[in-house]
Amino acid sequence: MRYSNPNGNGTKPFLTKLVEEKPENALEYATLYTGMSLPVVPNVNGQKRPSVGNWTNLRLLTDELPRHFGDQQNVGLLLGEPSDWLTCVDQHAPEVSKISDRFLEPTLTSGRKSNPRAHLYYRVPGAKTMKWQDGNGVVLLELRSTGCQMLVEPSVHPETGEPYRWVREGALEAVETVAEDLEKLCTRLATATVIARHLPPIGGRH
């Protein structure tokens, strides 16, 4: 794995640029993301619902952003091919994030107060969107790529009201990896999570 600079032009790492420019509102964040070649999607304020139709094909130019981000809308990033294969491992079950560092390479990370490392971002050329579930149908984790978006800072989680935040310690860029390798690691992580969720308590007969 290696760190990836999608612009390939010697620009500063993702989080370094974000910290230095200190955007203060949705429009400034959307402008910064767009300048880093990350297509943005306006979402209804406080929701995970795009406020425009045909959003998977949306490619807003900088001068179009004020029309879509003038009222503190949630900001989504388009994943997969539109963003040079920025792909997110979305950790749903709490057991996943507790053990994921044993399986997945440290990388650009975001989340919210109650789950600060919920989203792990990688550069994964050709990645497919996939989902891993427990036997009872509970979603454990997802690999989100083309056709998906993820809410990012400064958006607000629709259920908890917690703001999304990038983790500013550790990796400053998304690490690049191979799709097949990441899929295998996610499968192992999901398997370990199922075991953790259903393992009898200490002292149990089995």
Side-chain angles (χ1 to χ4, degrees):
M1 295 185 176
R2 64 181 179 84
Y3 288 106
S4 171
N5 180 346
N7 298 319
N9 55 9
T11 57
K12 294 178 180 178
F14 180 91
L15 282 184
T16 299
K17 188 174 180 64
L18 189 70
V19 170
E20 289 185 353
E21 298 211 7
K22 299 178 181 178
E24 297 182 355
N25 53 52
L27 176 57
E28 291 183 4
Y29 272 93
T31 301
L32 182 61
Y33 294 139
T34 300
M36 290 189 282
S37 301
L38 297 172
V40 293
V41 178
N43 282 249
V44 177
N45 193 358
Q47 298 185 36
K48 290 183 180 179
R49 180 165 58 87
S51 57
V52 295
N54 196 28
W55 59 269
T56 57
N57 294 314
L58 192 66
R59 306 291 185 272
L60 293 174
L61 302 176
T62 302
D63 59 0
E64 297 175 304
L65 296 176
R67 182 157 52 94
H68 295 279
F69 292 96
D71 192 28
Q72 296 303 305
Q73 287 84 355
N74 273 350
V75 181
L77 293 185
L78 276 177
L79 301 177
E81 189 172 10
S83 57
D84 193 28
W85 295 107
L86 184 68
T87 304
C88 180
V89 176
D90 189 357
Q91 306 179 94
H92 290 275
E95 296 88 353
V96 176
S97 57
K98 290 179 180 179
I99 62 174
S100 60
D101 60 350
R102 299 172 183 241
F103 297 85
L104 303 177
E105 185 82 6
T107 188
L108 181 68
T109 305
S110 77
R112 55 191 190 278
K113 184 177 181 180
S114 60
N115 194 357
R117 296 181 177 272
H119 305 146
L120 308 178
Y121 289 89
Y122 296 90
R123 293 276 175 191
V124 195
K128 299 177 182 178
T129 296
M130 303 179 68
K131 182 185 297 184
W132 287 263
Q133 296 175 279
D134 201 340
N136 56 13
V138 173
V139 177
L140 304 175
L141 69 154
E142 292 182 88
L143 189 60
R144 299 175 64 83
S145 185
T146 306
C148 300
Q149 64 151 354
M150 291 297 295
L151 294 186
V152 292
E153 187 175 326
S155 303
V156 174
H157 191 274
E159 296 174 3
T160 65
E162 297 171 336
Y164 289 91
R165 290 289 180 262
W166 296 105
V167 176
R168 286 163 165 76
E169 299 81 30
L172 304 180
E173 284 280 5
V175 168
E176 184 170 331
T177 187
V178 177
E180 292 80 4
D181 293 345
L182 186 57
E183 290 173 13
K184 290 178 182 177
L185 291 173
C186 285
T187 298
R188 293 174 185 172
L189 173 58
T191 301
T193 300
V194 170
I195 294 172
R197 287 170 62 87
H198 298 284
L199 189 70
I202 296 176
R205 181 177 178 182
H206 300 291

